[in-house]
Amino acid sequence: MAELLVQQLVNWITLGCIYALLAIGFSLIFGVLNVIHFSHGDVAMTAPFIALALVQGSMAVVGVTGPAWLLLAVVVAVLAVGVIGIALDKIVIRRFRDAPAMMALVATVALGIVIRELIRHLYPQGSNPHAFPRLVSGMAFEVAGVSVSWFALLVVAITAILVTLLFVFLRMTALGLRIRAASEDRVVARMMGIRDSRVFRATFFIASAIGAIAGLLFASYAGVTRFDFGVMAGLLGFSAAVIGGLGSMPGAILGGLIIAGIEVLAQTFVPDGASYRLVFVFLLVIAVLIFRPAGLLGRTVMEKV
Amino acid sequence: MRQDIASSASPGKSAAVAFTVASQLVGAVFLYLILKADGGLQIVGLLALLGLGFFILEKQPWIAEQAMASFARVPLVSMITAGIIVVGFPFIVGSNTYILHLLIVAQLYAVLALALNFQLGSANIPNFATGASYGIGAYVSALLAINFGLSFWLTLPVAALAATLFGFIIGIPSMRTRDTYLALVTIAFGVVVQQLLNNFEWTGGPNGLVGIPAPSLFGHSFADPLVVFGWRLPSQANFYYLSAALVVVAIITAHRLHSSRIGLAWNALRADEIAAKAQGINVAWYKVLAFAVDAFLAAFAGTIYAFYVSYISPDNFTFLVSVTIMTMVIVGGMDNIFGVIVGAFLLTILPEKLRAFSDYRLLFFGVVIIGFLMIRPQGLFPQRMRRYGGE
């Protein structure tokens, strides 16, 4: 029993970190643009495909392969997805930032369809699942008879580093200050001489790059990636951001851990829980929002008349 | 130009009659051509024509004004013309069952879009669970028919009742949550229903339910061809007329609700919730009511769908189905009954016709939706001002 518990604890933290990274992207973009970027999950899940393509490309051109090439491919993929995020904002999402919220939601859902279909057509045999390597392999140490993998440690370390960096960036740099100002009040921020196009560019780059890291970790965790993984990744990341409270970074992390927690709990303790896990996740989402309508750590905004 | 607008506000009676009949016939011919069209070039040509039509409408708004004034001037004529076109369409289409199938599905989606329009259009409440209500209607009626041998006509009200109950349940969180948070609540409900249908033993799991018996009316089974005055229409014609009748019911319901105090209350909610509350409108009740009405109508569409295809599975009622219905309302024009119906027809027929682009059809579909939203964000037919009698 203890072994099972520790094992599930490790799974929970790994998965929770990945969801938290996805949720941070949703929260960041919503905070600044007031737009739900529903295709964020799909953007994130392009990263594993870009990395795979790069690895295979380098193998075909240079003829060598190895962990160093994989690492390089991963870094390039993360940067590329950041740029893709900026491009999507420029071409599509920006036009909906003043439109009714539902319009932006529907537009980004359609954008998600386009991204998925593009992956399916551009990547060779894109309709099939593709194996994705573990970024690091091997077992790090043993706790109560359960060996903890280097991969789990890597996920936790990356999440901790990213969250710290993001925190420092938002609190201590000028650009971070501008982003926070724009997310508080875009109009006033503009009046203070903050050019919002720069803020949007920075926000989308950061959110998409963090999403790409989450996507790579997710593909690596599952060992496989497929063009339509973005739907569920997006839905779960969005749910995590919302139950944590949109616009709140600690909320996004908390939300990710909660969503992953209920998923792991359902799989472990409920008979046939694996097939019902989404039911439990979304029932929890409903319950949280009934009792905390603005999310767990969200600010309840008093409406002024 | 100014003079034109002034005089077009009240067209002459004969001009109005000519205009209504002509415009409806043009619409019907266009629909027929699109349905018949086959091969990439023809589709692209017709789409370009459609785009041009909307471009002209955008540049010359008096055309739409004129149309509305004409329809209002001679409502009886326009209704009779529409009736003749709808009744006569299967005779023109003849034995082409594929076109009839498309029309049936388009009509069912028109009902779903009208159902959602009560919320999204009238009251601006997001609802991503219309697909789930649709599924509940389909499953309840199918289960009753398969397990208890209930007839189609009996399952119809039962399914509607069950879905309405579901609508009330989703409506309850709507009293506390709003906007994006409410959108997530409805998404969550939709996913939960779809996942349960996918996992329960008694709903057939992912395989769904097979062998739903065809309904019959006055001894005429809907699985048999329809014979009218020696004309032999394929069996799909039965369902075509059934779903057309449902569309008529939905339109009448929508129209009556829109002009009632309920519709007014929903519009007030959309304009300003706090102001509506201050006016003494029971905000919570009207919100929940919007969910219930949506679910009620969606269940009717679901029941007809289940009996029509005689096979349903959870894949028919996913999150993406709900998104498609939402897109129909937004693309067509929120709170505009005619626009919503056009949106439903367009977005049902378009993906089918894009099969000419075989594998690229979903990609194309997504691009078209984004294009629509960017170019004409208020929808093809924008919502109109309420008119309180007089001028």
Side-chain angles (χ1 to χ4, degrees):
Chain A
M1 194 63 201
E3 274 176 42
L4 184 76
L5 273 181
V6 174
Q7 183 60 54
Q8 295 307 332
L9 197 71
V10 173
N11 283 348
W12 167 48
I13 291 174
T14 315
L15 204 58
C17 286
I18 295 174
Y19 288 165
L21 289 179
L22 277 169
I24 285 174
F26 277 103
S27 222
L28 211 61
I29 292 173
F30 182 85
V32 174
L33 271 91
N34 243 323
V35 159
I36 291 298
H37 178 23
F38 220 92
S39 44
H40 184 64
D42 297 294
V43 174
M45 291 315 283
T46 51
F49 280 96
I50 295 175
L52 274 184
L54 285 173
V55 167
Q56 274 151 15
S58 72
M59 197 147 87
V61 175
V62 196
V64 287
T65 178
W69 284 103
L70 182 63
L71 188 68
L72 187 69
V74 162
V75 170
V76 174
V78 169
L79 296 178
V81 172
V83 174
I84 291 176
I86 296 177
L88 290 180
D89 171 46
K90 263 227 154 70
I91 300 167
V92 180
I93 298 163
R94 185 170 296 191
R95 291 165 210 268
F96 293 100
R97 66 179 183 221
D98 294 319
M102 286 313 112
M103 206 157 260
L105 233 162
V106 168
T108 50
V109 169
L111 192 62
I113 296 178
V114 173
I115 294 171
R116 285 198 290 282
E117 290 298 304
L118 279 178
I119 295 179
R120 200 160 73 85
H121 286 295
L122 294 180
Y123 196 82
Q125 273 141 25
S127 306
N128 304 337
H130 291 270
F132 195 86
R134 277 264 155 133
L135 294 170
V136 286
S137 54
M139 295 299 163
F141 55 85
E142 221 169 78
V143 181
V146 178
S147 34
V148 178
S149 65
W150 278 112
F151 179 72
L153 287 183
L154 178 78
V155 171
V156 174
I158 287 181
T159 309
I161 292 169
L162 281 177
V163 168
T164 316
L165 279 180
L166 190 65
F167 184 81
V168 170
F169 169 75
L170 286 177
R171 292 279 149 186
M172 318 242 169
T173 64
L175 188 55
L177 183 67
R178 289 197 201 107
I179 289 181
R180 280 189 296 136
S183 85
E184 208 153 279
D185 193 323
R186 209 168 63 217
V187 180
V188 175
R190 249 189 106 114
M191 288 174 184
M192 297 296 154
I194 293 172
R195 211 183 291 173
D196 44 8
S197 62
R198 277 192 197 161
V199 170
F200 293 146
R201 213 181 309 149
T203 309
F204 264 90
F205 183 83
I206 294 166
S208 305
I210 292 179
I213 294 171
L216 288 163
L217 292 177
F218 186 76
S220 197
Y221 175 75
V224 68
T225 185
R226 211 173 61 198
F227 72 100
D228 60 353
F229 273 12
V231 185
M232 259 313 133
L235 218 47
L236 291 172
F238 175 56
S239 305
V242 172
I243 67 170
L246 275 170
S248 151
M249 289 302 129
I253 297 162
L254 181 66
L257 286 174
I258 289 176
I259 296 270
I262 195 90
E263 208 178 315
V264 170
L265 275 179
Q267 264 165 359
T268 320
F269 294 110
V270 180
D272 203 16
S275 41
Y276 282 102
R277 73 195 163 87
L278 285 177
V279 174
F280 286 104
V281 167
F282 284 102
L283 282 180
L284 180 85
V285 168
I286 295 168
V288 167
L289 288 181
I290 287 178
F291 293 109
R292 296 279 303 176
L296 291 169
L297 300 183
R299 281 170 298 175
T300 325
V301 183
M302 286 298 276
E303 224 171 306
K304 295 188 189 112
V305 185
Chain B
M1 226 23 227
R2 286 232 158 260
Q3 218 110 46
D4 274 347
I5 293 166
S7 66
S8 69
S10 55
K13 196 160 194 168
S14 51
V17 169
F19 188 85
T20 45
V21 173
S23 62
Q24 292 194 47
L25 280 178
V26 168
V29 169
F30 188 78
L31 179 63
Y32 181 74
L33 284 179
I34 275 238
L35 284 168
K36 272 275 185 201
D38 175 33
L41 219 58
Q42 283 182 36
I43 312 270
V44 169
L46 284 170
L47 278 182
L49 202 64
L50 190 69
L52 184 72
F54 280 111
F55 181 73
I56 292 173
L57 272 187
E58 173 97 24
K59 290 283 160 207
Q60 306 282 337
W62 62 269
I63 298 179
E65 299 271 319
Q66 174 95 14
M68 283 303 153
S70 305
F71 283 113
R73 183 80 201 268
V74 282
L76 202 63
V77 175
S78 50
M79 270 191 261
I80 290 172
T81 326
I84 291 172
I85 289 173
V86 171
V87 171
F89 220 86
F91 292 94
I92 298 165
V93 171
S95 56
N96 192 333
T97 53
Y98 175 61
I99 289 187
L100 276 179
H101 168 75
L102 274 187
L103 283 172
I104 295 168
V105 176
Q107 283 172 334
L108 291 179
Y109 269 104
V111 173
L112 289 169
L114 281 172
L116 181 62
N117 188 37
F118 290 123
Q119 295 183 293
L120 192 63
S122 303
N124 200 13
I125 304 170
N127 183 359
F128 283 92
T130 309
S133 311
Y134 179 47
I136 287 178
Y139 266 91
V140 168
S141 54
L143 284 169
L144 287 174
I146 291 173
N147 294 336
F148 301 104
L150 242 58
S151 91
F152 167 78
W153 307 101
L154 274 176
T155 64
L156 206 53
V158 179
L161 216 63
T164 310
L165 201 67
F166 172 71
F168 271 117
I169 294 171
I170 326 177
I172 291 169
S174 78
M175 295 180 202
R176 281 174 65 82
T177 52
R178 296 175 55 185
D179 300 333
T180 311
Y181 295 90
L182 180 56
L184 179 61
V185 170
T186 60
I187 290 173
F189 268 110
V191 174
V192 166
V193 167
Q194 200 258 343
Q195 287 287 321
L196 287 178
L197 291 177
N198 202 16
N199 283 310
F200 279 143
E201 199 77 32
W202 47 275
T203 57
N207 299 326
L209 294 169
V210 198
I212 304 162
S216 61
L217 184 63
F218 304 126
H220 168 72
S221 167
F222 275 34
D224 295 337
L226 186 65
V227 182
V228 189
F229 303 125
W231 283 75
R232 208 180 145 80
L233 294 173
S235 63
Q236 274 86 349
N238 297 305
F239 286 98
Y240 169 82
Y241 287 120
L242 186 64
S243 47
L246 183 63
V247 174
V248 172
V249 170
I251 293 175
I252 294 173
T253 315
H255 192 77
R256 297 286 300 160
L257 276 174
H258 183 79
S259 24
S260 73
R261 289 188 76 87
I262 298 175
L264 203 54
W266 282 335
N267 279 179
L269 266 183
R270 179 184 64 198
D272 191 330
E273 200 178 314
I274 293 174
K277 212 184 255 175
Q279 298 288 333
I281 292 171
N282 187 343
V283 171
W285 165 248
Y286 282 107
K287 277 186 178 176
V288 176
L289 195 64
F291 277 97
V293 173
D294 165 68
F296 181 81
L297 267 180
F300 275 118
T303 305
I304 294 182
Y305 179 79
F307 279 84
Y308 166 54
V309 293
S310 83
Y311 159 69
I312 49 174
S313 78
D315 289 344
N316 300 114
F317 312 108
T318 54
F319 169 60
L320 278 180
V321 173
S322 300
V323 173
T324 312
I325 302 170
M326 279 197 89
T327 316
M328 287 168 178
V329 176
I330 292 178
V331 165
M334 295 211 219
D335 211 19
N336 184 324
I337 296 172
F338 178 66
V340 167
I341 295 173
V342 172
F345 269 74
L346 206 62
L347 288 184
T348 315
I349 294 168
L350 199 63
E352 287 294 325
K353 286 293 149 183
L354 291 176
R355 279 189 200 284
F357 303 95
S358 61
D359 224 16
Y360 287 91
R361 122 192 124 86
L362 258 177
L363 181 64
F364 207 82
F365 185 61
V367 172
V368 168
I369 290 177
I370 296 173
F372 262 130
L373 293 177
M374 286 209 282
I375 296 164
R376 214 174 150 82
Q378 71 275 46
L380 295 176
F381 297 92
Q383 56 181 260
R384 285 174 301 128
M385 290 294 226
R386 268 176 180 277
R387 281 208 137 122
Y388 298 96
E391 261 317 295

mmCIF file of all heavy atoms in Angstrom, chain A residues 265-279:
data_model
loop_
_atom_site.group_PDB
_atom_site.id
_atom_site.type_symbol
_atom_site.label_atom_id
_atom_site.label_comp_id
_atom_site.label_asym_id
_atom_site.label_seq_id
_atom_site.Cartn_x
_atom_site.Cartn_y
_atom_site.Cartn_z
ATOM 1 N N LEU A 265 -6.058 10.225 -8.267
ATOM 2 C CA LEU A 265 -6.887 9.580 -7.243
ATOM 3 C C LEU A 265 -7.930 8.671 -7.891
ATOM 4 O O LEU A 265 -8.137 7.524 -7.463
ATOM 5 C CB LEU A 265 -7.611 10.636 -6.409
ATOM 6 C CG LEU A 265 -6.857 11.233 -5.234
ATOM 7 C CD1 LEU A 265 -7.725 12.267 -4.544
ATOM 8 C CD2 LEU A 265 -6.465 10.135 -4.249
ATOM 9 N N ALA A 266 -8.589 9.189 -8.937
ATOM 10 C CA ALA A 266 -9.633 8.401 -9.593
ATOM 11 C C ALA A 266 -9.042 7.138 -10.191
ATOM 12 O O ALA A 266 -9.609 6.048 -10.082
ATOM 13 C CB ALA A 266 -10.312 9.236 -10.681
ATOM 14 N N GLN A 267 -7.856 7.282 -10.783
ATOM 15 C CA GLN A 267 -7.237 6.118 -11.410
ATOM 16 C C GLN A 267 -6.830 5.079 -10.388
ATOM 17 O O GLN A 267 -6.864 3.886 -10.661
ATOM 18 C CB GLN A 267 -6.014 6.559 -12.209
ATOM 19 C CG GLN A 267 -6.351 6.750 -13.669
ATOM 20 C CD GLN A 267 -5.277 7.507 -14.397
ATOM 21 O OE1 GLN A 267 -4.291 7.915 -13.818
ATOM 22 N NE2 GLN A 267 -5.484 7.712 -15.675
ATOM 23 N N THR A 268 -6.438 5.539 -9.201
ATOM 24 C CA THR A 268 -5.917 4.613 -8.216
ATOM 25 C C THR A 268 -7.015 3.946 -7.407
ATOM 26 O O THR A 268 -6.994 2.737 -7.187
ATOM 27 C CB THR A 268 -4.980 5.354 -7.244
ATOM 28 O OG1 THR A 268 -4.218 6.271 -7.975
ATOM 29 C CG2 THR A 268 -4.073 4.376 -6.531
ATOM 30 N N PHE A 269 -7.975 4.728 -6.956
ATOM 31 C CA PHE A 269 -8.880 4.207 -5.934
ATOM 32 C C PHE A 269 -10.269 3.845 -6.430
ATOM 33 O O PHE A 269 -11.004 3.158 -5.738
ATOM 34 C CB PHE A 269 -8.990 5.209 -4.778
ATOM 35 C CG PHE A 269 -7.707 5.357 -4.041
ATOM 36 C CD1 PHE A 269 -6.958 6.516 -4.124
ATOM 37 C CD2 PHE A 269 -7.216 4.294 -3.279
ATOM 38 C CE1 PHE A 269 -5.764 6.625 -3.452
ATOM 39 C CE2 PHE A 269 -6.020 4.406 -2.601
ATOM 40 C CZ PHE A 269 -5.286 5.574 -2.693
ATOM 41 N N VAL A 270 -10.658 4.330 -7.584
ATOM 42 C CA VAL A 270 -12.003 4.022 -8.061
ATOM 43 C C VAL A 270 -11.900 2.859 -9.033
ATOM 44 O O VAL A 270 -11.050 2.873 -9.914
ATOM 45 C CB VAL A 270 -12.628 5.248 -8.762
ATOM 46 C CG1 VAL A 270 -14.024 4.932 -9.255
ATOM 47 C CG2 VAL A 270 -12.632 6.424 -7.826
ATOM 48 N N PRO A 271 -12.727 1.825 -8.865
ATOM 49 C CA PRO A 271 -12.694 0.733 -9.827
ATOM 50 C C PRO A 271 -13.062 1.260 -11.213
ATOM 51 O O PRO A 271 -14.000 2.040 -11.355
ATOM 52 C CB PRO A 271 -13.757 -0.244 -9.296
ATOM 53 C CG PRO A 271 -14.560 0.525 -8.311
ATOM 54 C CD PRO A 271 -13.688 1.596 -7.785
ATOM 55 N N ASP A 272 -12.306 0.864 -12.206
ATOM 56 C CA ASP A 272 -12.536 1.329 -13.572
ATOM 57 C C ASP A 272 -12.362 2.844 -13.659
ATOM 58 O O ASP A 272 -12.940 3.504 -14.501
ATOM 59 C CB ASP A 272 -13.944 0.932 -14.027
ATOM 60 C CG ASP A 272 -14.021 0.883 -15.553
ATOM 61 O OD1 ASP A 272 -12.946 0.862 -16.180
ATOM 62 O OD2 ASP A 272 -15.124 0.894 -16.084
ATOM 63 N N GLY A 273 -11.537 3.377 -12.737
ATOM 64 C CA GLY A 273 -11.411 4.822 -12.634
ATOM 65 C C GLY A 273 -10.756 5.451 -13.846
ATOM 66 O O GLY A 273 -11.009 6.612 -14.153
ATOM 67 N N ALA A 274 -9.905 4.693 -14.539
ATOM 68 C CA ALA A 274 -9.171 5.278 -15.657
ATOM 69 C C ALA A 274 -10.125 5.810 -16.711
ATOM 70 O O ALA A 274 -9.920 6.879 -17.274
ATOM 71 C CB ALA A 274 -8.225 4.241 -16.250
ATOM 72 N N SER A 275 -11.234 5.059 -16.959
ATOM 73 C CA SER A 275 -12.137 5.519 -18.008
ATOM 74 C C SER A 275 -13.075 6.603 -17.501
ATOM 75 O O SER A 275 -13.639 7.351 -18.294
ATOM 76 C CB SER A 275 -12.927 4.348 -18.589
ATOM 77 O OG SER A 275 -13.332 3.482 -17.587
ATOM 78 N N TYR A 276 -13.215 6.690 -16.171
ATOM 79 C CA TYR A 276 -14.105 7.716 -15.629
ATOM 80 C C TYR A 276 -13.352 8.954 -15.150
ATOM 81 O O TYR A 276 -13.945 9.846 -14.563
ATOM 82 C CB TYR A 276 -14.921 7.162 -14.453
ATOM 83 C CG TYR A 276 -16.076 6.292 -14.877
ATOM 84 C CD1 TYR A 276 -15.988 4.916 -14.809
ATOM 85 C CD2 TYR A 276 -17.252 6.863 -15.337
ATOM 86 C CE1 TYR A 276 -17.041 4.113 -15.198
ATOM 87 C CE2 TYR A 276 -18.306 6.075 -15.733
ATOM 88 C CZ TYR A 276 -18.197 4.695 -15.659
ATOM 89 O OH TYR A 276 -19.241 3.925 -16.051
ATOM 90 N N ARG A 277 -12.031 8.989 -15.376
ATOM 91 C CA ARG A 277 -11.244 10.054 -14.733
ATOM 92 C C ARG A 277 -11.709 11.444 -15.152
ATOM 93 O O ARG A 277 -11.777 12.351 -14.340
ATOM 94 C CB ARG A 277 -9.757 9.846 -14.981
ATOM 95 C CG ARG A 277 -9.320 10.142 -16.374
ATOM 96 C CD ARG A 277 -7.950 9.599 -16.695
ATOM 97 N NE ARG A 277 -7.792 9.580 -18.123
ATOM 98 C CZ ARG A 277 -7.349 10.621 -18.817
ATOM 99 N NH1 ARG A 277 -7.002 11.708 -18.212
ATOM 100 N NH2 ARG A 277 -7.267 10.559 -20.122
ATOM 101 N N LEU A 278 -12.077 11.607 -16.436
ATOM 102 C CA LEU A 278 -12.513 12.934 -16.879
ATOM 103 C C LEU A 278 -13.816 13.344 -16.207
ATOM 104 O O LEU A 278 -14.034 14.516 -15.925
ATOM 105 C CB LEU A 278 -12.677 12.963 -18.397
ATOM 106 C CG LEU A 278 -11.373 13.013 -19.173
ATOM 107 C CD1 LEU A 278 -11.648 12.973 -20.658
ATOM 108 C CD2 LEU A 278 -10.600 14.265 -18.810
ATOM 109 N N VAL A 279 -14.682 12.350 -15.941
ATOM 110 C CA VAL A 279 -15.934 12.651 -15.237
ATOM 111 C C VAL A 279 -15.618 13.258 -13.878
ATOM 112 O O VAL A 279 -16.173 14.293 -13.498
ATOM 113 C CB VAL A 279 -16.783 11.372 -15.082
ATOM 114 C CG1 VAL A 279 -18.002 11.652 -14.230
ATOM 115 C CG2 VAL A 279 -17.184 10.832 -16.437
#
